[in-house]
Amino acid sequence: MGVLSSVRAVRWARKHQPERVSYWAALAHERFPPDDLLRQAVEAEEAGFDGVSCSDHLAPWWTKDTAPTNSGSAWVWLGAAANATQRAQIGSAVTSIVHRYNPVVVAQNAATLELLAPGRAFLGVGSGEAMNEVPAGMDWPAPAEQLERTEEALIIITRLLRGETVDFDGRYFKAKGAVLYSLPQRRVPVYLSAFHEGAAELAGRLADGVWTLGDPRQVPKVVAAYRNACEEAKREPGAIILQNVFSVADSDDAALEQAREWKGTLVDEHYTDPVADPAEIYRQGESEVPDPQFTKQIIASSDPNEHVKRIKAVQKLGATTMVLMNVSGGDPHAALRVYGESVLPELRAA
């Protein structure tokens, strides 16, 4: 993808931004227990977030020697969160669809969530990580096979959510007369996570939008691939969801320290290679992501204005939705209050 195409894609995305960008809070099952996350979901809605999403993991990115470890069931929790909240969009960010979940069950989960929270459910999906699939019995495949598996699963999921009876005989997944008998009136939107052009192209052909990290080096290429795929498939482009990580504390140093365990999420090999040991993931994160680089890629600051400035900069890449992941391990509840009082109002005032 040439530089010019990427630049044009960002210009196009900006032109098609809605007047009101949505802001979602992303909540981390890897770090916080499910009951505390439920409280965070309510607080995020009260703070003014338009949506609440949660990670979907079997394992955390570190061991208990580093930080508290958790791994609650995303889909059990989403049902509880749907009941505890009133207006926020709600869904997974993201559910891996290459092995641990059967795609028929994923579609069933998403449809049920929409029935419990009418007009509010969404489904974020992706190829996941070895750390969550290998413990469930998978031999972690090469990236090409990861993408093939994702495509097959996505075909089944989207067809079921459209109300079809699905027969599918794929290389990796099969369905025989599958149908969702509890089907909501509104079709649940499906967003595909994409860190590279191949997944973005798949999102353009099959999903309702693309979900990627708010990295200014990466976003233009992903958006360009997504837009081109939509045009080739003669589909209207959908959501462009950009995600950032934030940490709020009394000082910048404290904000960095309480987020340190998340460095492993910024190592590309943890998504492509068969690295499944949380201790190894943490060590590689500390080794390969020095603090200066880490603070450029996450928003770790005591100053709400710094959070506003950094989010605005990413938003200019063409986001329809900004997803802001709360990794404020010291006091996640206080961080949500800061966003409700000082960050979200400034973002919306602009």
Side-chain angles (χ1 to χ4, degrees):
M1 190 67 61
V3 174
L4 186 59
S5 295
S6 297
V7 170
R8 285 175 176 167
V10 171
R11 289 174 180 165
W12 165 85
R14 287 177 181 170
K15 183 178 179 181
H16 288 80
Q17 272 186 314
E19 290 186 9
R20 186 181 186 276
V21 173
S22 294
Y23 300 99
W24 295 354
L27 308 180
H29 275 290
E30 306 97 305
R31 178 61 172 76
F32 305 105
D35 56 343
D36 188 80
L37 284 180
L38 198 60
R39 177 184 166 193
Q40 289 183 42
V42 173
E43 291 170 342
E45 185 175 68
E46 291 174 346
F49 282 96
D50 302 298
V52 174
S53 65
C54 73
S55 54
D56 188 343
H57 271 246
L58 187 64
W61 302 84
W62 55 85
T63 67
K64 63 182 180 181
D65 295 330
T66 300
T69 52
N70 281 283
S71 170
S73 167
W75 285 97
V76 172
W77 183 88
L78 283 166
N83 187 60
T85 57
Q86 302 298 319
R87 60 166 185 79
Q89 300 292 298
I90 188 165
S92 59
V94 299
T95 291
S96 172
I97 53 175
V98 298
H99 172 73
R100 185 162 47 106
Y101 288 102
N102 185 288
V104 173
V105 175
V106 173
Q108 183 185 32
N109 287 346
T112 301
L113 184 64
E114 171 65 14
L115 289 168
L116 294 173
R120 298 199 285 138
F122 63 84
L123 173 62
V125 296
S127 57
E129 308 87 16
M131 61 189 289
N132 298 308
E133 307 304 313
V134 169
M138 185 185 203
D139 292 328
W140 189 242
E145 182 179 322
Q146 294 172 34
L147 193 61
E148 291 169 358
R149 287 175 172 269
T150 301
E151 179 168 5
E152 286 192 4
L154 194 55
I155 290 170
I156 293 171
I157 291 166
T158 53
R159 288 183 60 190
L160 284 168
L161 290 175
R162 287 198 299 266
E164 297 181 27
T165 299
V166 178
D167 290 293
F168 187 86
D169 186 16
R171 182 177 180 183
Y172 306 104
F173 294 106
K174 300 182 187 301
K176 299 178 180 179
V179 63
L180 297 179
Y181 291 96
S182 293
L183 185 71
Q185 290 185 347
R186 169 183 172 265
R187 182 182 63 80
V188 178
V190 181
Y191 308 122
L192 180 63
S193 172
F195 293 170
H196 56 81
E197 288 102 319
E201 185 273 336
L202 182 58
R205 288 193 289 112
L206 295 175
D208 296 294
V210 65
W211 192 320
T212 192
L213 298 179
D215 182 345
R217 300 166 301 174
Q218 170 182 295
V219 170
K221 296 178 182 179
V222 170
V223 171
Y226 173 70
R227 179 195 176 189
N228 290 340
C230 288
E231 288 181 349
E232 291 177 5
K234 294 181 173 55
R235 303 179 77 223
E236 284 295 320
I240 296 177
I241 303 172
L242 304 184
Q243 179 163 329
N244 275 89
V245 173
F246 76 88
S247 175
V248 179
D250 292 336
S251 70
D252 291 355
D253 287 342
L256 169 63
E257 287 304 314
Q258 70 179 4
R260 178 175 297 281
E261 60 264 24
W262 293 92
K263 284 186 176 184
T265 64
L266 300 178
V267 178
D268 291 344
E269 290 77 14
H270 295 164
Y271 301 93
T272 58
D273 296 354
V275 185
D277 179 9
E280 182 181 356
I281 289 169
Y282 177 77
R283 285 195 299 270
Q284 290 187 180
E286 275 291 335
S287 174
E288 297 184 25
V289 186
D291 287 357
Q293 176 185 341
F294 189 50
T295 53
K296 287 181 180 178
Q297 293 185 263
I298 75 163
I299 311 170
S301 176
S302 60
D303 182 1
N305 291 327
E306 178 67 14
H307 289 256
V308 172
K309 181 179 74 173
R310 294 278 301 277
I311 293 166
K312 283 182 178 179
V314 172
Q315 187 172 305
K316 288 179 181 178
L317 296 171
T320 60
T321 298
M322 289 293 304
V323 177
L324 303 163
M325 186 169 188
N326 185 14
V327 300
S328 308
D331 192 343
H333 311 285
L336 290 169
R337 288 196 296 273
V338 168
Y339 263 62
E341 294 168 1
S342 303
V343 177
L344 293 178
E346 287 298 315
L347 290 170
R348 292 194 171 113

